[in-house]
Amino acid sequence: RCYPWDKPEQQKRPLFDYYRKLIAIRKENPALRCGTFRPLLVDNDRDLYTFDRRSNGNHCIVALNRSKEDRSLDIPDTHGAIELLSGKKVTGREATVPARSAIILLVPTSANR
């Protein structure tokens, strides 16, 4: 059934806040709504899936981790990217995806530097 958006007494507040954050990130980044889609990594052995989305100067990379352990990824051209869920800046090519979680990177382009 649908999530009880209009019934606060039925909501699990942390889950509600997480979905609101995801919705805001999607609204703020056109690439996540209508951009080109390109798989970057499908690694069933490590339970990782990573894809690239681009639209008119907006570039995002999404990495999903299904495993019970944190996973590290080498993602080229992401120096200076911002991880949108945590707000942290990526300082190198390597990113860590927490266990059973995801990261969404806003990658600097000439349009969003």
Side-chain angles (χ1 to χ4, degrees):
R1 68 184 205 187
C2 292
Y3 190 83
W5 294 106
D6 57 345
K7 297 177 183 169
E9 70 280 357
Q10 294 180 8
Q11 296 173 7
K12 294 182 178 169
R13 196 67 202 183
L15 181 63
F16 178 80
D17 292 341
Y18 182 71
Y19 276 117
R20 285 186 61 171
K21 187 174 215 170
L22 288 174
I23 290 166
I25 289 169
R26 185 175 183 269
K27 283 182 177 180
E28 292 167 3
N29 292 281
L32 297 174
R33 294 189 314 274
C34 58
T36 60
F37 173 87
R38 182 174 60 110
L40 296 176
L41 173 71
V42 178
D43 187 338
N44 290 325
D45 294 333
R46 294 179 50 208
D47 287 328
L48 283 171
Y49 178 58
T50 305
F51 58 91
D52 178 282
R53 299 287 310 256
R54 296 174 193 240
S55 177
N56 297 328
N58 184 238
H59 179 195
C60 294
I61 294 175
V62 178
L64 308 163
N65 177 5
R66 294 185 319 173
S67 80
K68 295 178 184 177
E69 300 174 9
D70 293 356
R71 300 287 190 207
S72 293
L73 296 173
D74 181 40
I75 307 174
D77 303 324
T78 57
H79 183 75
I82 302 293
E83 200 290 303
L84 296 173
L85 290 167
S86 67
K88 294 180 182 175
K89 192 170 190 174
V90 177
T91 57
R93 290 173 44 132
E94 190 172 289
T96 299
V97 187
R100 298 191 185 260
S101 193
I103 59 172
I104 304 169
L105 301 176
L106 176 61
V107 180
T109 64
S110 58
N112 63 11
R113 282 185 195 242

